[in-house]
Amino acid sequence: MRLQECRRHRCRTASAWGGGALTREIKRTTIVDVGRLAGVSTKTVSRVFNGEPHVSDDIKARVHAAAAQLNYYPNVHAQSLVRQRSHLIGLIYEKPSPSYVVELQMGVLDRLQSERYRLVVIPVQSVHDKAREVVGMIRSAALDGVVLAPPASDHPVILAELAAAGIRFARIAPLRQLDIGCSTLIDDVAAAREVAAHLLALGHRDIAIIKGDPGHAATEARLVGYAQAFHDAGCAMRMDWIEPGLFTFESGFEAGRRLLDRPDRPTAILAQNDEMAVGAMMAARDLGLSLPGDLSIAGFDDSEVSRITWPRLTTVRQPVFDMAVAATGMLVAQLERRETVRTTQHDHRLLIRDSTASPPDHRRIGIPAKPPASADPTP
């Protein structure tokens, strides 16, 4: 027979075996026990776990050592009630590529390792259609603050309602209203111009473009960069070779098929992210085209898929992990009332790999190809 009673964190277990009975009492460890072992008051233990100032390193070490010895962990819910804060940080993103979201999450988590905040991931199917619902979810989850990834980082309704509600936020890769909140970004226009200039320098003139999701500001910014490169090279973009996409593998594959099924198919494709570029590569293979012999393809992001596909994808490195780390640091600084910068701009890098080369008719049209300024050393 087994009987269990729980009264005020105490558990009494009585068990009978072969006519004999054994009774034992188990008491849950509290901060009183931690304080007693560390030789400090309960209030001091509380101050250590709440991260309050003016506690010596020696006392902090003694309290943490005592807690470890007793296998004690602070009650986060109780701390939240006392401090009227949840210590939860949200990450808002919209259906990005798998590689992109992994980099985002890893960056946020890496920065939170040394903090007392925990991450809540909130994927959104369509920020454009559900902007007010996004803010409602943030408020109902009692989040202390949020990291906004594109396109939420540029959505005026989300930015305005978060500010009105007094909810702190940090923005990743915004391109609009840069005076609102803290931001971490790259120069999308310059990055796109550089990768387009690479294809033009190889001798390509028949270059198609697969655009990203129209709801993302980066889509138009990168198109502007491409146009600047074409202008600098003295040639125009063909508007009938610009295909819509959604930053997904499937949309890249479909756009690639439409472009490559044409009798006047291009010799190169600029895809606005790596997922779409790999989709276009698959479409080319289905049609029996070799890369880069018959067709050159370049992407954007330097996501994991760009490094494991074959041929390895020429792309632009957008340091998503570093941007997520920086944005999270900005948000934590706001919540902890520390000083922080309002904007951090990260460097991009053109990574020339194996998916781009001179066009097949390069010698016939007589356009001299410039040697690449740098190559990606990634094996």
Side-chain angles (χ1 to χ4, degrees):
M1 184 177 89
R2 203 177 204 53
L3 174 66
Q4 291 186 336
E5 292 181 358
C6 291
R7 296 288 188 273
R8 296 182 182 179
H9 306 304
R10 296 191 176 193
C11 179
R12 172 166 295 182
T13 302
S15 60
W17 182 263
L22 174 65
T23 302
R24 61 189 175 89
E25 192 174 86
I26 302 173
K27 181 177 178 294
R28 180 178 296 174
T29 303
T30 69
I31 62 172
V32 175
D33 303 306
V34 175
R36 185 179 298 116
L37 183 59
V40 299
S41 68
T42 302
K43 183 176 181 180
T44 298
V45 176
S46 178
R47 291 178 63 198
V48 170
F49 286 130
N50 286 327
E52 295 180 15
H54 311 305
V55 180
S56 70
D57 292 339
D58 176 64
I59 289 178
K60 290 179 184 178
R62 283 158 52 192
V63 169
H64 287 300
Q69 184 176 334
L70 295 171
N71 199 29
Y72 172 80
Y73 295 91
N75 187 320
V76 176
H77 180 63
Q79 288 180 322
S80 299
L81 291 175
V82 172
R83 298 169 63 89
Q84 295 185 326
R85 290 171 65 176
S86 66
H87 292 101
L88 298 176
I89 284 178
L91 171 62
I92 311 295
Y93 64 85
E94 177 189 276
K95 56 180 182 183
S97 69
S99 297
Y100 186 86
V101 71
V102 167
E103 290 288 301
L104 282 177
Q105 291 187 27
M106 289 180 63
V108 175
L109 290 170
D110 183 80
R111 181 58 183 80
L112 292 181
Q113 284 186 26
S114 59
E115 305 289 348
R116 54 189 166 186
Y117 294 91
R118 289 166 172 78
L119 175 64
V120 176
V121 177
I122 305 178
V124 181
Q125 184 64 26
S126 172
V127 167
H128 177 75
D129 296 335
K130 300 184 178 181
R132 285 189 166 82
E133 291 182 33
V134 169
V135 179
M137 285 189 290
I138 294 169
R139 301 186 70 164
S140 64
L143 302 178
D144 288 342
V146 287
V147 175
L148 302 173
S153 57
D154 270 318
H155 201 288
V157 171
I158 292 177
L159 299 178
E161 294 204 4
L162 287 177
I167 299 173
R168 304 288 186 175
F169 58 88
R171 306 163 65 190
I172 295 177
L175 289 164
R176 302 167 183 153
Q177 297 179 283
L178 298 182
D179 58 324
I180 298 178
C182 295
S183 303
T184 175
L185 65 159
I186 67 166
D187 188 338
D188 278 273
V189 173
R193 181 173 62 244
E194 191 169 344
V195 68
H198 163 64
L199 288 179
L200 290 161
L202 288 172
H204 291 278
R205 292 299 179 268
D206 297 329
I207 304 174
I209 295 167
I210 302 177
K211 294 175 61 177
D213 191 314
H216 289 238
T219 297
E220 289 308 313
R222 292 171 191 177
L223 192 63
V224 169
Y226 296 157
Q228 289 179 357
F230 275 76
H231 178 269
D232 292 345
C235 56
M237 293 191 301
R238 283 186 54 169
M239 304 309 292
D240 60 327
W241 276 354
I242 300 177
E243 287 285 341
L246 293 170
F247 286 134
T248 63
F249 172 89
E250 293 78 12
S251 65
F253 178 83
E254 293 166 3
R257 284 301 297 257
R258 290 192 296 269
L259 289 166
L260 300 175
D261 274 337
R262 301 169 57 115
D264 59 340
R265 67 172 179 246
T267 63
I269 293 177
L270 284 164
Q272 290 194 343
N273 82 338
D274 294 337
E275 298 282 339
M276 295 192 300
V278 173
M281 291 171 76
M282 183 67 71
R285 289 195 185 97
D286 282 357
L287 294 172
L289 300 177
S290 68
L291 281 81
D294 298 319
L295 178 72
S296 289
I297 298 180
F300 199 108
D301 279 341
D302 188 34
S303 59
E304 183 180 8
V305 69
S306 72
R307 300 186 288 272
I308 62 176
T309 192
W310 186 259
R312 295 179 313 146
L313 183 65
T314 292
T315 187
V316 175
R317 182 174 187 268
Q318 177 178 213
V320 176
F321 177 91
D322 296 337
M323 294 165 73
V325 169
T328 307
M330 291 174 172
L331 178 57
V332 170
Q334 293 178 67
L335 296 173
E336 297 295 317
R337 300 174 186 256
R338 305 171 191 159
E339 290 187 8
T340 184
V341 296
R342 292 188 61 84
T343 304
T344 300
Q345 182 156 321
H346 296 259
D347 293 332
H348 65 271
R349 181 184 173 198
L350 175 63
L351 301 175
I352 301 172
R353 294 179 176 145
D354 309 312
S355 66
T356 53
S358 299
D361 57 353
H362 163 64
R363 291 185 178 178
R364 182 173 59 82
I365 62 176
I367 299 174
K370 299 177 183 178
S374 63
D376 176 26
T378 305

